[in-house]
Amino acid sequence: MSVNVRIPTILRTYTGGASQVTADGATLAEVLADLEKNHAGISARVLDDTGKLRRFVNVYVNDDDVRFEQGLETPTPDGAGVSIIPAVAGG
């Protein structure tokens, strides 16, 4: 299943500057694996050393925060929108 992934500015060096790319997968984990296959290095910025989502990276599938869904096993239906949003801190 093909989904549209919105890439934040900080990760666009991995996608050749593209703000949106397509990826295949029935779950978020599969989509991230496909992203890594086509844009090497991007998954290390989204996943930690244990393969879980990094604490300060939010991921949404069709506006639903995957942390409150099924995490990496969240389904990604054909045509879904996936957004990767790094948390911003300031003070």
Side-chain angles (χ1 to χ4, degrees):
M1 300 189 185
S2 182
V3 300
N4 298 309
V5 183
R6 288 181 286 278
I7 307 295
T9 303
I10 196 164
L11 297 180
R12 291 181 189 166
T13 55
Y14 299 100
T15 61
S19 63
Q20 185 167 306
V21 297
T22 58
D24 293 324
T27 65
L28 180 59
E30 292 175 7
V31 167
L32 292 174
D34 191 57
L35 271 180
E36 178 63 23
K37 182 177 79 175
N38 295 306
H39 307 284
I42 197 166
S43 68
R45 301 295 303 267
V46 178
L47 302 174
D48 64 19
D49 294 338
T50 66
K52 295 180 182 175
L53 288 173
R54 288 191 178 275
R55 184 175 174 194
F56 297 110
V57 175
N58 298 312
V59 180
Y60 295 84
V61 174
N62 289 335
D63 300 324
D64 294 322
D65 187 335
V66 300
R67 294 184 195 277
F68 300 106
E69 297 297 322
Q70 298 174 45
L72 291 172
E73 295 307 312
T74 299
T76 52
D78 197 39
V82 175
S83 299
I84 301 170
I85 304 173
V88 178

